[in-house]
Amino acid sequence: MPNLLLLHGALGHSDIFKPYLNTLSQYFTVHTPLFSGHGDQELPAGGINIEKYTQELSEYCKVNNLTEVSIFGHSMGGYVALCYAMENPENVNSIITLGTKFDWTEEEALKESKMLNPDIILEKIPQYAQLLESQHGTKWKQLLPAIADLMVDLGKNPPLENNFATITTPTQIMVGDKDNMVTIEESMRVYRSLPNAKLAVLPDTKHPMDKVRPDLLLNLIKDFWNLS
């Protein structure tokens, strides 16, 4: 069976893909790796950035002997998928991204990163703090500033910017129409910049993966990958 990688977003977890595994495993050998700092994976002493996560994906494919993979990436996972395809075009069959933010500027990154303060989250959104602790353990308080640094680094040096035209991998860019982090406009810009891309806007859909309706997403996935 062909290999499918499901990549979670920043502060996400591979658990979010549970509603999809039964269906997708009929067509693929499904892999759900965790990026470092997430779940039971240690936070690297040297910090994290998109290049590090792209390298982790590359190593995961090498260790598991995965070639000609298909990738679904949610949010940051989609960004990493495209970075990996840019560096290893021969190894990627196709990519679907959902809710991936492409318009990274220093100003935007600083704005986003300010929201990642553990004390503010504990005070203002305690249920989110509980979720983070249940997924990532007590190190969630260290993971937040590490992700904030990743965002700021991305704002200063977005590796995909000016390189979309070089990525010929068949790609479907998807965004929810109620995503408050990613605009339809930036998704369209990237869709038009990629030589071999499709665009899908999901109705009544917000950014978090657990707010996406599985039936809707699975139908779009099946359509793109010609799964019957």
Side-chain angles (χ1 to χ4, degrees), residues 50-116:
I50 284 293
E51 289 78 9
K52 167 122 185 57
Y53 280 166
T54 306
Q55 184 57 36
E56 287 180 15
L57 177 56
S58 182
E59 281 166 18
Y60 183 89
C61 289
K62 280 195 190 109
V63 167
N64 292 282
N65 210 9
L66 306 184
T67 55
E68 296 184 22
V69 295
S70 297
I71 306 176
F72 173 91
H74 176 247
S75 196
M76 178 197 75
Y79 203 98
V80 173
L82 285 167
C83 288
Y84 178 69
M86 181 169 74
E87 292 174 10
N88 307 273
E90 71 295 334
N91 211 31
V92 186
N93 267 348
S94 52
I95 293 172
I96 297 177
T97 72
L98 172 61
T100 294
K101 179 155 197 64
F102 296 107
D103 279 357
W104 286 102
T105 61
E106 282 192 68
E107 186 186 22
E108 183 72 39
L110 282 167
K111 190 180 85 177
E112 292 284 349
S113 68
K114 283 200 177 97
M115 297 184 222
L116 299 181

Side-chain angles (χ1 to χ4, degrees), residues 7 10 30 57 68 86 89 119 138 143 149-150 167 195:
L7 304 181
V30 181
L57 177 56
E68 296 184 22
M86 181 169 74
D119 298 331
T138 52
L143 180 58
D149 290 345
L150 176 147
I167 303 170

Side-chain angles (χ1 to χ4, degrees), residues 6 23 26 38 48 51 66 70 81 97 113 133 137 149 154 164 182 193 195-196 211 216:
L6 303 178
T23 303
Q26 294 168 36
H38 295 76
I48 48 178
E51 289 78 9
L66 306 184
S70 297
T97 72
S113 68
E133 179 147 5
D149 290 345
L154 203 46
F164 291 112
V182 182
S193 304
N196 193 359
K211 298 282 190 280
L216 176 65

